[in-house]
Amino acid sequence: MGTFKVFKSLVIDSLDTITKGSKRYHLWMGFLTLVMLIGMYCYSIQLEEGLSATGMSDRVSWGLYISNFTFLVGVAAAAVMLVMPTYVLKDLDFKQAVLIGEGLAVAALIMCLAFVVADMGEPSVLWHMIPGIGVFNFPNSMLTWDVIVLNGYLFINISIPFYILFKHYQNKEAKKSVYVPGAILSVFWAVGIHLVTAFLYQGLQARPFWNNALLGPRFLASAFAAGPSLIILILAIIRSFTAFKIEDKTIKKIAMIVTVAAQINLIMLISELFKEFYAPTHHSESAYYLFFGLHGKNALLPWIWTAIPLNVLATVLLTFNKLRNNLKVLYFCCFILFVAIWIEKGFGLIVPGFIPGPYGKIVEYLPTGVEIGVTIGIWALGAFVFTILAKTAIGIELGELYYKDKNTST
Amino acid sequence: MSDNKKWYSLDLGLNNKKESSGTCGCGKTEGSCNSSPKEEELSADEFYEAAINASIGEERHRDGFEQVFDVKMDRRSAFKKLTASLLIGAGAVTTSCSVTTGSDTKEKAQIDWEEQFKGNYKLMTDEEKQGTINRLMRSYELRTHKKINMTAENAAEDVLFGYAFNISKCQGYMNCVSACVEENNQDRNSEMQYIRIHEMKDGEGFKFNKADDNYYHEVPAEGHFYMGTQCFHCDNPPCVEVCPVQATWKEEDGLVVIDYDWCVGCRYCMAACPYDGRRFNWSKPEVPEQEVNKNQHYLGNRMRKKGVMEKCTFCVQRTRKGKNPACVEACPTGARIFGNLLDPDSTIRWVLENKKVFRLKEDLGTEPKFWYFMD
Ligand code: SF4
Ligand code: SF4
């Protein structure tokens, strides 16, 4: 009963915090709400007309939604790069960053699930996918694995921070014996979600562009570059807008992670390019399409040729200690790296898988306005969720938010 | 199937004539390819066993409504149904809210409700299958005041359907394509077609990437040859493996089918199919009422809804009644041959045994039951 009362008070208090704030905060939330509403409107059009409202077709049957889904799984998985040092290696530096990281993971996962639902042709029978009431094609279908690991990861990433914050809210210390095993589990789990998501594509013999043993490891490397980049940017914003203190040291340590991951990612990219272009086979056609266009069809060229230079530039800049330790340069690098990987692991990965088609037919894909609207709406949803989570967490950590027991008699 | 195989191979029961027909994918000696090498002819039952084992193996033992679904059904209490529907089941509500009067409306709503929450066809008992087709027929009658005839025949024993395509004969007339569209009630708006006819240049061989599968000129065009593709009803279908909800599966007579009402529209199967065999309803499929083919099968040409997958079913509504698929019947050149692979006297067996047949992308191990040959 006592716990319940504390919980109720926490809910009320956090509602209080998230509805109050500076003018800027209200503007931000209002803006996000507006974007979300536009996204919902676009989604209602899609529900009404069917997926023909999107740019997808029988020839390119996955597009912007699945691209974003894939990328965001990586972002979610990357939160673990902060969890590990803090909880497991007892590196106190990361302590503040970690709650933010896990909040980010939760927001990213919610976006992932939203993208998957948005991509479904028949969302009204989605219950067919719920184990127990539907029919779950486990273990044959990698998609069922993905459903399990994503939801499991969501659960872990909600429960650990919640436990810690709940204790801090009552001004108690969180018990290590409770959250450390959870944290260790989430480390393995994070690698799992990303590998399983890669296997989703890697396991299709029909699509040579994906059916490639390097896909999984490359997913991990790029995720551990893009995710922490985003975390650095967010920490920078939080640092300048709230009283929450984040040391330079923390940011620099995360920057180290980004750098190593970006370097590994670049090596793998070179390996992939070598394989595709040194001795090109029929199976290299997708890569040709992506990088050079095929038979005059070249819709992806501007994208990939933005991504590759940005990726190389960021990696090179980050490699030099002097430049990396300059926060302005670091933020810039993180930003371009994030954009580069979003293109590469989203659009640049999903769309060429379908081009050329099974019989060599080239039909290009361009997202429609509706599709873009839904996508931006879901990103706004993610930002909205994250802002709420972060604001509450920061409130509790700063001690602004604590449990005021009205009948403290003993 | 013998246990020491490194890859999947199609077991057609062509044990004695494997070499000559060239259809065995396993590449091993005659004996090791065989499920029971000592016997010349398998008895019907044994063959049935072997064929099923080869196709679905262990899974079969878990199949059937009693074994899998009933347990789940128990737990599927009304409350859960309600919750699920409130969360995501907007579909039933919208459809049942149409404005007509009286008991018809009520009956319609009742049918919609039951249809929304029925189980997976694959796991239904025969009575349940009958129940759902009765509801679907009634629902069509209530909506359009016309009757349709829908059946739910199961696969017959000792039948494994296969197809052969004579490249020398095909002239690219595309009668098969239009016959298929009419027979299978495909969406007229998006001009969905299961069959694609690829027009290729003589002397260049099978250059699919240079072929034209969307031509509108007079055929046969000078210096060209034609070949058709559709779903090949693979014996080891990757599309079935990947479906997260088992909305698509291989029937015992080898047909790869889809339960349109169970599909959630994720299109994973489409990505997994190496043969461009699947089609998706990107918008609400429309067929003018007078053109609707009213002889339907649950797994075949019944009306689809938007957002679900469909594909060639070898005209299950015809072939399970002993007829040829519409494309075979419509082809004026006799390029298309269909039949029971397990019947040693069938034309398809004759073709496999006497012609130099080949299949597309054999290296993928999908074992299509669709062969090409030339005169
Ligand atoms: S051709 Fe494609 S859709 Fe048809 S059974 Fe094979 S993999 Fe499945
Ligand atoms: S689209 Fe339908 S049939 Fe295909 S994998 Fe998804 S649920 Fe299964």
Side-chain angles (χ1 to χ4, degrees):
Chain A
M1 203 58 224
T3 326
F4 182 70
K5 227 161 71 193
V6 181
F7 180 69
K8 202 174 126 196
S9 132
L10 172 61
V11 171
I12 293 170
D13 277 357
S14 44
L15 273 180
D16 204 45
T17 340
I18 56 181
T19 45
K20 289 205 185 86
S22 63
K23 201 165 174 190
R24 249 211 218 105
Y25 171 76
H26 280 295
L27 267 178
W28 168 242
M29 293 307 258
F31 167 72
L32 290 181
T33 315
L34 181 72
V35 178
M36 277 195 294
L37 285 176
I38 295 173
M40 272 156 83
Y41 172 68
C42 290
Y43 186 61
S44 75
I45 297 177
Q46 183 189 311
L47 272 186
E48 187 59 35
E49 289 181 15
L51 283 166
S52 56
T54 70
M56 294 182 275
S57 64
D58 276 348
R59 314 272 190 171
V60 181
S61 51
W62 280 339
L64 199 56
Y65 297 150
I66 295 293
S67 305
N68 276 290
F69 159 76
T70 314
F71 175 74
L72 285 167
V73 171
V75 173
V80 80
M81 296 314 285
L82 307 171
V83 174
M84 201 161 43
T86 319
Y87 294 151
V88 184
L89 309 178
K90 303 199 186 60
D91 191 333
L92 280 180
D93 262 343
F94 277 39
K95 195 114 198 169
Q96 312 94 334
V98 91
L99 281 173
I100 304 295
E102 285 188 333
L104 186 66
V106 171
L109 284 168
I110 288 174
M111 285 193 264
C112 284
L113 297 177
F115 274 118
V116 170
V117 173
D119 189 64
M120 292 283 163
E122 187 61 343
S124 69
V125 294
L126 256 186
W127 61 271
H128 293 170
M129 256 175 129
I130 302 172
I133 36 177
V135 174
F136 207 52
N137 190 11
F138 187 80
N140 285 5
S141 170
M142 288 319 290
L143 200 55
T144 57
W145 283 74
D146 220 28
V147 169
I148 293 176
V149 290
L150 286 182
N151 284 299
Y153 193 64
L154 182 61
F155 175 76
I156 295 177
N157 276 297
I158 287 179
S159 49
I160 297 178
F162 180 75
Y163 170 74
I164 295 174
L165 290 175
F166 196 59
K167 286 286 173 192
H168 287 181
Y169 178 64
Q170 301 170 69
N171 234 332
K172 292 182 197 153
E173 262 309 305
K175 275 203 214 82
K176 278 231 164 66
S177 58
V178 178
Y179 69 76
V180 168
I184 294 177
L185 180 67
S186 82
V187 170
F188 289 103
W189 208 286
V191 175
I193 62 167
H194 218 41
L195 269 187
V196 168
T197 307
F199 289 171
L200 210 74
Y201 309 105
Q202 204 172 324
L204 302 178
Q205 69 267 56
R207 312 281 170 187
F209 186 66
W210 296 336
N211 191 358
N212 153 5
L214 198 54
L215 199 72
R218 226 191 128 200
F219 262 46
L220 285 176
S222 62
F224 291 158
S229 299
L230 184 60
I231 292 176
I232 291 180
L233 293 175
I234 289 173
L235 289 181
I237 293 172
I238 290 178
R239 224 158 58 138
S240 52
F241 284 104
T242 71
F244 199 51
K245 242 180 72 215
I246 295 152
E247 312 257 352
D248 275 3
K249 227 168 50 184
T250 311
I251 291 192
K252 282 177 184 159
K253 271 199 179 152
I254 304 175
M256 198 62 217
I257 297 175
V258 175
T259 311
V260 173
Q263 286 163 342
I264 297 178
N265 184 35
L266 207 58
I267 294 172
M268 292 186 179
L269 175 69
I270 293 169
S271 163
E272 261 183 357
L273 292 179
F274 174 78
K275 182 227 154 200
E276 302 285 19
F277 296 116
Y278 180 72
T281 66
H282 253 302
H283 292 174
S284 314
E285 286 200 314
S286 299
Y288 257 98
Y289 170 74
L290 175 62
F291 286 99
F292 305 113
L294 266 185
H295 308 303
K297 306 269 172 83
N298 47 19
L300 288 182
L301 287 198
W303 292 95
I304 197 69
W305 288 113
T306 317
I308 298 287
L310 287 184
N311 196 343
V312 174
L313 177 68
T315 312
V316 170
L317 287 181
L318 285 172
T319 305
F320 295 102
N321 278 340
K322 249 226 189 94
L323 294 173
R324 187 175 67 236
N325 287 336
N326 178 337
L327 285 184
K328 287 228 174 66
V329 178
L330 176 67
Y331 296 156
F332 172 71
C333 288
C334 286
F335 178 70
I336 61 174
L337 195 61
F338 183 78
V339 172
I341 292 177
W342 179 77
I343 296 174
E344 229 188 281
K345 278 279 111 11
F347 247 60
L349 179 82
I350 303 303
V351 178
F354 293 99
I355 301 170
Y359 293 125
K361 194 91 191 165
I362 302 170
V363 175
E364 299 202 281
Y365 161 79
L366 261 188
T368 58
V370 170
E371 213 173 348
I372 294 171
V374 174
T375 304
I376 295 177
I378 294 177
W379 276 91
L381 168 76
F384 192 84
V385 169
F386 177 76
T387 313
I388 289 177
L389 291 177
K391 193 145 198 291
T392 318
I394 291 172
I396 294 176
E397 289 295 296
L398 289 179
E400 285 165 3
L401 212 71
Y402 54 87
Y403 183 50
K404 311 162 200 85
D405 203 343
K406 281 150 210 130
N407 29 358
T408 352
S409 42
T410 46
Chain B
M1 243 168 74
S2 61
D3 297 332
N4 56 358
K5 280 223 188 87
K6 292 198 182 59
W7 55 83
Y8 188 94
S9 58
L10 174 58
D11 188 355
L12 288 183
L14 303 171
N15 312 320
N16 311 322
K17 287 144 187 161
K18 247 160 205 153
E19 254 75 48
S20 61
S21 65
T23 55
C24 174
C26 80
K28 291 197 177 177
T29 54
E30 216 171 306
S32 65
C33 212
N34 201 330
S35 29
S36 55
K38 273 156 259 144
E39 283 168 81
E40 279 287 285
E41 294 260 280
L42 294 174
S43 75
D45 278 351
E46 277 170 321
F47 183 79
Y48 185 57
E49 270 309 300
I52 293 169
N53 272 335
S55 56
I56 40 179
E58 280 172 16
E59 211 187 315
R60 173 173 63 119
H61 303 294
R62 294 192 281 109
D63 270 1
F65 199 87
E66 289 84 6
Q67 282 141 341
V68 183
F69 209 65
D70 234 12
V71 189
K72 287 169 185 163
M73 272 299 268
D74 289 340
R75 278 185 262 136
R76 208 165 68 170
S77 59
F79 174 70
K80 272 188 180 162
K81 283 181 182 178
L82 199 63
T83 325
S85 81
L86 286 177
L87 283 174
I88 38 184
V93 185
T94 36
T95 38
S96 59
C97 282
S98 50
V99 230
T100 18
T101 40
S103 63
D104 272 10
T105 322
K106 226 170 128 195
E107 192 185 354
K108 223 186 277 177
Q110 172 74 17
I111 288 177
D112 284 342
W113 178 258
E114 280 175 38
E115 279 297 295
Q116 179 77 14
F117 293 107
K118 71 183 177 186
N120 184 336
Y121 184 83
K122 177 187 177 185
L123 306 170
M124 285 184 190
T125 61
D126 284 346
E127 293 93 79
E128 283 162 325
K129 287 179 181 174
Q130 200 57 47
T132 179
I133 62 167
N134 286 343
R135 282 198 299 270
L136 288 170
M137 285 192 282
R138 179 74 186 134
S139 160
Y140 191 83
E141 196 182 343
L142 287 172
R143 265 166 239 275
T144 61
H145 304 289
K146 301 246 165 58
K147 274 201 190 305
I148 48 169
N149 175 30
M150 195 187 297
T151 55
E153 294 121 337
N154 289 323
E157 272 185 33
D158 269 334
V159 172
L160 187 64
F161 287 124
Y163 207 116
F165 186 97
N166 188 340
I167 302 168
S168 326
K169 283 216 170 109
C170 179
Q171 306 280 327
Y173 295 136
M174 296 226 245
N175 294 25
C176 50
V177 177
S178 33
C180 175
V181 170
E182 279 159 31
E183 169 69 30
N184 288 301
N185 295 325
Q186 283 154 41
D187 180 25
R188 305 295 203 270
N189 278 347
S190 64
E191 298 184 359
M192 182 191 289
Q193 296 167 352
Y194 295 161
I195 304 176
R196 292 199 207 283
I197 303 289
H198 305 259
E199 184 183 70
M200 308 199 197
K201 275 213 182 69
D202 281 340
E204 287 193 352
F206 296 109
K207 279 250 164 62
F208 273 105
N209 48 351
K210 287 202 184 151
D212 182 4
D213 63 4
N214 201 14
Y215 54 83
Y216 291 97
H217 50 75
E218 198 173 307
V219 289
E222 185 69 31
H224 287 85
F225 70 98
Y226 299 84
M227 80 191 277
T229 59
Q230 61 203 70
C231 169
F232 293 160
H233 295 268
C234 306
D235 207 44
N236 184 25
C239 55
V240 166
E241 287 294 303
V242 300
C243 177
V245 292
Q246 299 191 19
T248 179
W249 66 90
K250 192 173 69 177
E251 290 270 284
E252 276 162 21
D253 51 7
L255 303 181
V256 175
V257 292
I258 304 169
D259 181 349
Y260 312 121
D261 290 336
W262 194 258
C263 172
V264 297
C266 66
R267 309 190 294 296
Y268 197 9
C269 52
M270 201 165 210
C273 171
Y275 301 108
D276 191 19
R278 295 190 162 239
R279 303 286 178 269
F280 189 69
N281 287 292
W282 298 95
S283 47
K284 189 174 176 354
E286 269 161 32
V287 182
E289 170 55 37
Q290 65 277 12
E291 287 177 28
V292 171
N293 176 359
K294 301 212 164 58
N295 286 320
Q296 304 178 352
H297 189 285
Y298 185 93
L299 295 172
N301 56 349
R302 73 186 170 99
M303 309 312 277
R304 273 79 66 181
K305 43 187 183 173
K306 77 164 186 280
V308 299
M309 200 54 76
E310 62 175 285
K311 66 177 195 59
C312 159
T313 60
F314 278 170
C315 287
V316 53
Q317 66 279 0
R318 301 168 61 98
T319 48
R320 283 201 181 156
K321 293 197 176 82
K323 288 199 270 181
N324 267 331
C327 48
V328 174
E329 209 154 85
C331 180
T333 64
R336 293 174 170 268
I337 288 157
F338 178 83
N340 181 2
L341 294 167
L342 304 182
D343 172 6
D345 301 324
S346 61
T347 326
I348 179 105
R349 277 287 287 272
W350 186 88
V351 168
L352 294 189
E353 283 156 23
N354 294 290
K355 294 286 180 184
K356 316 281 180 289
V357 295
F358 69 94
R359 297 179 290 183
L360 294 182
K361 302 191 189 178
E362 290 227 47
D363 51 331
L364 298 182
T366 47
E367 300 288 333
K369 290 194 284 292
F370 195 106
W371 287 265
Y372 292 94
F373 67 102
M374 286 163 256
D375 283 336

